[in-house]
Amino acid sequence: YSAMPITYPASNYLPHQARLLAGPRAQPASAIMEGPSELNKKFGDVIDLDEKAEAERVRAGIAGDVTQIFVSFYHALMSELRAHDMGTTHHSGYVSQHHFRRILGNFGVSIQAAIFASPGGWTETREVTKVVDVRTGEKRAGPVKETLAWIQHRPCQTGPVEYEPFVRSVMQGDAESAKAKACTDTARDAAQLYSLWKLVTENKRSLLYELNQRDTGAVGHVSVGDFHAALQLGTGCSSSDAKLVVANIPLAAGSGWIDYRRWLVEFCKDPRIDWQAYLSVDLLATGTHQIESQQSEAELRAGMMHRLHEEHHQQHPGHYY
């Protein structure tokens, strides 16, 4: 009864009942172990934080060994993976699961080690085990079994594997890959935005002409779609360049209308428009645009009626109404 918790009385329990009450860790080890491998079984039943920390230390050690192998044999590993690419006429970037496991095995890396080396996180699950009641012979709820599993961001143990991102993430780590990608994207966008700034300043007149052509009411505002079209026609940039320009307008022109004259002034000063100017550049749907549009429509109607009256008087000079 030494394994039995002190919260249970020492009497009225048979030995097998005491073992069930003591929990799964007090159960005798089975003579025949079937199912997962030894590596998986080591992390199969994590009960407390100390065991979780131990699991993470072991996983980090495995990941470090795999990373060292990948760094040492990077060119040979990538040559093997590319040689077994699933593409027929060109490289698809994917390799079948069979070849993936075989190639890793050639470098001394098992699939379990590759799983632990792949970026991811620990996930805890709790399950109530079923036990057989010796009195009734029926199954009933028994002790709670707590398990810990390493869940990958990109699973590599099933189906085709995108091998280049996998190898890169193992070598650099998930956080390092995200940081490197963010730095690369920021640098690319900055260089592209500077090129667009030079393009807009050199073609300011043609761009303003295209915008004026789409401003039928002469209110100084155009829709985002018209702004995209005018930007491409006036400067000769691509649609992705136009999207980048709109993305750098505060609120990304979410109202649907852009004050293109003030935008042109602000953009020529600095391609990354300051937030202080956003009310002038990105107008709210219930703001100045609707008022000025209504005024422009009223002026157009009044001008149209005045011209019709003059034409009528010229055709029928003796008629008055």
Side-chain angles (χ1 to χ4, degrees):
Y1 293 86
S2 59
M4 189 171 60
I6 60 174
T7 54
Y8 294 103
S11 61
N12 300 328
Y13 287 102
L14 297 175
H16 70 278
Q17 294 173 334
R19 284 197 297 270
L20 290 175
L21 292 172
R25 296 182 61 81
Q27 302 299 320
S30 176
I32 301 176
M33 299 297 294
E34 297 179 355
S37 65
E38 292 295 331
L39 191 62
N40 282 339
K41 285 187 297 183
K42 185 174 182 59
F43 307 104
D45 186 14
V46 176
I47 303 300
D48 52 30
L49 295 177
D50 292 337
E51 290 183 342
K52 184 176 181 180
E54 179 189 358
E56 175 56 28
R57 283 194 299 271
V58 176
R59 188 210 65 82
I62 295 172
D65 294 340
V66 174
T67 300
Q68 187 176 0
I69 293 174
F70 279 18
V71 171
S72 301
F73 303 98
Y74 173 75
H75 296 291
L77 176 63
M78 293 304 298
S79 298
E80 286 286 332
L81 291 170
R82 288 175 181 140
H84 294 85
D85 192 280
M86 296 179 65
T88 55
T89 58
H90 63 280
H91 287 290
S92 65
Y94 289 85
V95 67
S96 67
Q97 185 65 210
H98 171 73
H99 287 114
F100 178 72
R101 296 192 181 211
R102 185 178 59 81
I103 293 170
L104 291 185
N106 293 339
F107 290 91
V109 178
S110 65
I111 190 62
Q112 290 86 1
I115 290 171
F116 287 130
S118 181
W122 292 106
T123 300
E124 295 184 40
T125 58
R126 292 172 178 83
E127 179 184 3
V128 178
T129 60
K130 297 292 185 180
V131 296
V132 178
D133 195 326
V134 295
R135 295 169 298 180
T136 62
E138 297 179 354
K139 289 186 177 181
R140 60 174 178 82
V144 175
K145 182 180 180 182
E146 194 175 44
T147 59
L148 189 68
W150 179 256
I151 304 300
Q152 309 164 77
H153 297 327
R154 290 186 175 183
C156 66
Q157 74 275 19
T158 58
V161 180
E162 193 175 6
Y163 51 86
E164 289 189 2
F166 169 77
V167 174
R168 186 168 57 249
S169 64
V170 170
M171 293 175 59
Q172 299 179 353
D174 195 34
E176 292 296 328
S177 299
K179 181 179 178 181
K181 184 177 183 300
C183 292
T184 303
D185 293 345
T186 303
R188 184 186 66 249
D189 289 349
Q192 186 179 1
L193 195 62
Y194 176 69
S195 301
L196 287 170
W197 174 78
K198 291 172 58 179
L199 198 62
V200 168
T201 52
E202 293 171 358
N203 300 275
K204 190 186 301 183
R205 290 183 177 275
S206 60
L207 176 59
L208 192 58
Y209 172 78
E210 293 292 339
L211 290 168
N212 284 328
Q213 290 295 107
R214 286 160 176 77
D215 185 11
T216 55
V219 294
H221 312 138
V222 294
S223 66
V224 176
D226 289 339
F227 183 79
H228 273 261
L231 196 61
Q232 294 178 57
L233 290 174
T235 62
C237 67
S238 63
S239 59
S240 61
D241 294 335
K243 291 178 181 177
L244 180 62
V245 170
V246 174
N248 280 274
I249 295 176
L251 298 182
S255 68
W257 300 92
I258 297 176
D259 185 340
Y260 61 90
R261 295 170 185 169
R262 294 185 182 181
W263 168 83
L264 192 58
V265 173
E266 294 291 337
F267 188 81
C268 290
K269 291 179 183 178
D270 186 354
R272 297 192 181 277
I273 298 174
D274 187 70
W275 279 90
Q276 298 296 328
Y278 92 95
L279 282 176
S280 300
V281 177
D282 181 22
L283 296 172
L284 299 178
T286 58
T288 313
H289 171 73
Q290 287 187 348
I291 298 174
E292 295 187 1
S293 297
Q294 292 174 0
Q295 292 176 352
S296 175
E297 290 176 0
E299 291 174 0
L300 288 174
R301 284 196 299 269
M304 183 71 71
M305 292 297 296
H306 183 69
R307 287 194 298 271
L308 289 175
H309 289 171
E310 289 182 350
E311 292 176 0
H312 184 75
H313 285 307
Q314 291 176 1
Q315 294 176 2
H316 308 281
H319 291 192
Y320 297 95
Y321 56 92

